[in-house]
Amino acid sequence: MSTGSQHQSAGTPPAGPNGPQAPLLRKRFDDGLAAGSPFAKWAAVWKKMLLVQDGSATLICETLADGPVQLDVLHQNVTGDVPAGVRAHLPGTSFIERQVCMSHRGEVMMDNLTYVALEQLDPEVQRHLEQGLSPIGYIFDIKLTRKRPVPCPEGVLSRLWQRCGVPDPEAARTYVLEIENTSCMLITETYRSGMLQGLPLAGPGAQPA
């Protein structure tokens, strides 16, 4: 657990319709929690639940936010230059590489890096990704999907941290997303301190951010 040291990253503010938005606050999942406090212990249990849950992380974010969350696509392109860990799980030689962050009230909730095998990409899913306006989690509502947990590939984590900063491998997980029994995506999710918004963690044992 953290003893209160802050790992913050503003990054490049995403452009909005009225110009650049304010920089987002990005911190490790347990930054600002007093080590050994009841609140830190509670947060550790919550993190474990997030890492093992098999539902939609997007829906969890929206539930905590009590409404839609902000989605920023930090990077998206088609490439054959992917970490070896991607090819170990996905077929083909061409992939969509897509990195996004989800936030609420100016604080990052998740940083995610996804690889999509174009060879196996469903046309409906491709349209969804090309629009780039909503989280991949929404695909779960329109397709038969299954998550298969795999160890986080070091090369994928490295590329994720290069773009967003604030490494926190203990709050990260990777899974293969199978759509209609076909492996088509490798998704790495990193939960940030924004996932604690609205939860009963404030109190005498908590340290100010």
Side-chain angles (χ1 to χ4, degrees):
M1 281 294 170
S2 167
T3 57
S5 62
Q6 301 300 310
H7 296 257
Q8 303 179 7
S9 171
T12 301
N18 299 316
Q21 300 175 8
L24 295 173
L25 178 65
R26 176 179 280 107
K27 299 190 296 182
R28 293 192 312 174
F29 185 89
D30 53 3
D31 273 351
L33 299 176
S37 71
F39 309 100
K41 293 177 182 178
W42 197 97
V45 173
W46 175 232
K47 179 166 64 175
K48 288 180 181 179
M49 293 179 64
L50 289 172
L51 291 173
V52 301
Q53 58 85 19
D54 192 36
S56 167
T58 299
L59 179 59
I60 293 176
C61 289
E62 292 179 335
T63 300
L64 292 174
D66 196 24
V69 296
Q70 177 178 321
L71 174 75
D72 292 307
V73 180
L74 306 182
H75 170 82
Q76 180 168 315
N77 72 345
V78 176
T79 181
D81 179 20
V82 298
V86 175
R87 298 185 186 278
H89 297 289
L90 298 180
T93 58
S94 187
F95 307 87
I96 293 177
E97 182 182 58
R98 170 184 164 101
Q99 183 160 334
V100 306
C101 76
M102 284 186 276
S103 62
H104 179 60
R105 294 180 178 175
E107 185 170 2
V108 175
M109 304 180 81
M110 296 181 71
D111 283 303
N112 303 335
L113 178 56
T114 299
Y115 290 92
V116 184
L118 288 174
E119 182 178 292
Q120 302 290 344
L121 190 58
D122 179 284
E124 190 173 3
V125 174
Q126 183 171 355
R127 287 193 297 271
H128 179 98
L129 293 173
E130 288 174 344
Q131 291 173 354
L133 299 177
S134 55
I136 285 177
Y138 287 169
I139 296 174
F140 302 163
D141 296 331
I142 61 175
K143 292 290 182 182
L144 177 62
T145 62
R146 185 175 77 92
K147 294 179 179 178
R148 177 163 52 85
V150 298
C152 294
E154 289 297 328
V156 173
L157 287 176
S158 177
R159 196 167 293 194
L160 175 63
W161 309 142
Q162 285 174 7
R163 293 198 183 98
C164 68
V166 196
D168 192 7
E170 292 185 358
R173 68 171 186 167
T174 297
Y175 56 89
V176 175
L177 182 66
E178 298 178 351
I179 298 181
E180 298 175 351
N181 297 318
T182 300
S183 297
C184 63
M185 299 186 194
L186 183 74
I187 301 177
T188 298
E189 301 172 337
T190 307
Y191 294 105
R192 302 301 196 176
S193 64
M195 294 300 289
L196 301 176
Q197 293 185 56
L199 298 179
L201 297 173
Q207 296 182 6

